[in-house]
Amino acid sequence: MRDRRTLSAALCVAAGLSVAPLQAQEVTLRAVSSFAEGTEFSKNFERFVEKVNADGKGVVQINYIGGPRAVPPFEVGNAVRTRVVDMANVTGAFYTNLMPEADGFKLIAKPMSAQRSDGTWAHINELHNQKLNAWYLARQFHNVPFHIYLTKKIEKLDFTGLKIRVTPVYKDIVEALGGTAITTAPGEVYTALERGVVDGYGWPVTGIFDLGWDKVTKFRLDPAFYSVEVNVLVNLDAWKGLNDRQKKLLSDTALWLEGLDSEKVGAIQAERQRHAAAGIQAIDFGPAAAQEFLKKANDVAWASVIRRAPESGARLRQLAGN
Ligand code: 173
């Protein structure tokens, strides 16, 4: 028996094939985050990496290379597509060039448990398979909304004359309110504010303290809107190369990661208090204006997604139910 195995191994080597190991080997995946290391939208992914590395000894490991110093945020989607990296923590807003529908994910605020059982996850996974050569392993922060933050007070819901830093998340609503949208990566927000290149910026309710933006922020415009989405993607070839045990460990840990969203309910309240304590004033024009703002934000975003991706955009809207 031993001789035969040795012989077949020798033949494989001679034929240029790798020798099938008796036990599946540990696989190491290279991962990056599109957000700075240790900041709000990297932290839970970093916990995910730690848990995979603890639970996956001998099965699967993640080599976390780090944040945007490794790969610039708007290039992370392409880095996953071409397998420059095997895995990434990245928002769809950073890869709308490859997948215009990705701009619609912010309009889907259902918990991931619902998205996984009602076909939403499956549809979005298919989009990632086709357009990004990626497996949609997890989505985080469905219950965290966005705000527009300002350095100047406004007297009504009108951005005329204001320059606002955006990503695709906020571009349509900023322009619909008469503002000038200037796209930058998160890493350029502080300097843009400090130099007066912009009068405000879009960002989630959480995380503005991480890079010191509180020092150059005076107002937070209410209401909050949309739903944050930061996804864990795996290059599809890398995913297909994993065995069932490796896939299961990653998938189970992905569900655990999505479950961490429940921590955000309390964290958001605490963050709003922290804004107030830092002297960041809420601007609120009352319930009628809020309703009008939310309707406009929803309408312009769907119109924009459906214009760029008529078929899958319409399907996404159906799944979003709004
Ligand atoms: O503002 C941004 O850079 C952005 O689009 C985003 C998306 C998800 C989480 C944090 C920021």
Side-chain angles (χ1 to χ4, degrees):
M1 182 63 198
R2 211 177 72 201
D3 286 353
R4 223 188 301 154
R5 192 181 296 142
T6 309
L7 180 62
S8 63
L11 287 173
C12 283
V13 171
L17 301 170
S18 63
V19 181
L22 293 178
Q23 271 204 320
Q25 279 179 358
E26 181 181 277
V27 165
T28 299
L29 302 171
R30 281 159 46 87
V32 293
S33 177
S34 61
F35 297 97
E37 289 146 60
T39 63
E40 176 67 13
F41 297 100
S42 286
K43 270 189 213 163
N44 282 0
F45 176 68
E46 289 163 359
R47 289 162 74 185
F48 166 87
V49 170
E50 247 179 61
K51 185 162 169 61
V52 167
N53 288 346
D55 297 348
K57 287 199 169 55
V59 181
V60 57
Q61 295 287 290
I62 298 171
N63 173 16
Y64 179 47
I65 297 160
R69 276 174 301 178
V71 182
F74 289 101
E75 289 168 34
V76 169
N78 203 41
V80 174
R81 187 180 70 80
T82 56
R83 208 175 176 179
V84 167
V85 296
D86 299 309
M87 178 184 275
N89 178 60
V90 58
T91 171
F94 294 163
Y95 52 83
T96 57
N97 57 330
L98 300 170
M99 190 195 291
E101 301 89 330
D103 196 23
F105 304 157
K106 69 189 178 198
L107 299 160
I108 306 176
K110 286 181 281 192
M112 282 313 290
S113 52
Q115 294 195 38
R116 285 185 181 272
S117 61
D118 73 3
T120 307
W121 176 87
H123 177 66
I124 297 177
N125 184 38
E126 213 172 282
L127 288 173
H128 282 87
N129 294 175
Q130 288 165 5
K131 301 204 165 177
L132 223 77
N133 189 37
W135 185 259
Y136 180 54
L137 188 67
R139 173 192 169 168
Q140 311 156 72
F141 308 113
H142 78 282
N143 54 355
V144 179
F146 296 92
H147 282 281
I148 301 294
Y149 299 85
L150 297 166
T151 57
K152 295 176 180 159
K153 189 153 193 186
I154 54 171
E155 303 302 334
K156 56 182 179 136
L157 266 175
D158 185 352
F159 293 159
T160 303
L162 295 180
K163 289 171 287 182
I164 313 281
R165 173 271 172 183
V166 301
T167 65
V169 172
Y170 333 92
K171 185 170 188 290
D172 295 304
I173 183 61
V174 162
E175 289 178 344
L177 291 173
T180 302
I182 299 175
T183 302
T184 83
E188 290 151 30
V189 171
Y190 186 92
T191 311
L193 286 163
E194 201 188 24
R195 295 189 182 161
V197 173
V198 295
D199 309 302
Y201 58 97
W203 192 258
V205 60
T206 50
I208 69 160
F209 295 91
D210 282 338
L211 300 175
W213 301 348
D214 54 301
K215 297 187 192 74
V216 280
T217 302
K218 295 215 168 67
F219 304 98
R220 184 193 71 229
L221 179 62
D222 286 356
F225 59 105
Y226 301 155
S227 165
V228 172
E229 45 90 28
V230 177
N231 308 311
V232 180
L233 307 183
V234 183
N235 171 277
L236 195 56
D237 301 304
W239 180 257
K240 286 178 177 166
L242 300 175
N243 65 30
D244 288 349
R245 200 167 157 220
Q246 290 160 339
K247 284 180 184 163
K248 183 171 174 0
L249 193 132
L250 290 173
S251 300
D252 288 349
T253 316
L255 294 182
W256 172 86
L257 173 64
E258 289 176 353
L260 297 181
D261 280 0
S262 62
E263 298 175 353
K264 291 296 146 193
V265 180
I268 289 168
Q269 272 189 318
E271 190 87 351
R272 289 215 165 98
Q273 282 167 10
R274 202 174 165 197
H275 288 170
I280 298 168
Q281 239 179 291
I283 301 179
D284 187 341
F285 297 114
Q291 213 179 349
E292 193 189 325
F293 173 83
L294 293 176
K295 181 170 174 0
K296 191 176 272 186
N298 201 60
D299 288 350
V300 295
W302 278 124
S304 171
V305 170
I306 290 167
R307 181 173 41 78
R308 283 175 289 162
E311 264 178 49
S312 47
R315 175 83 184 114
L316 275 183
R317 185 164 200 177
Q318 203 178 30
L319 290 164
N322 59 23

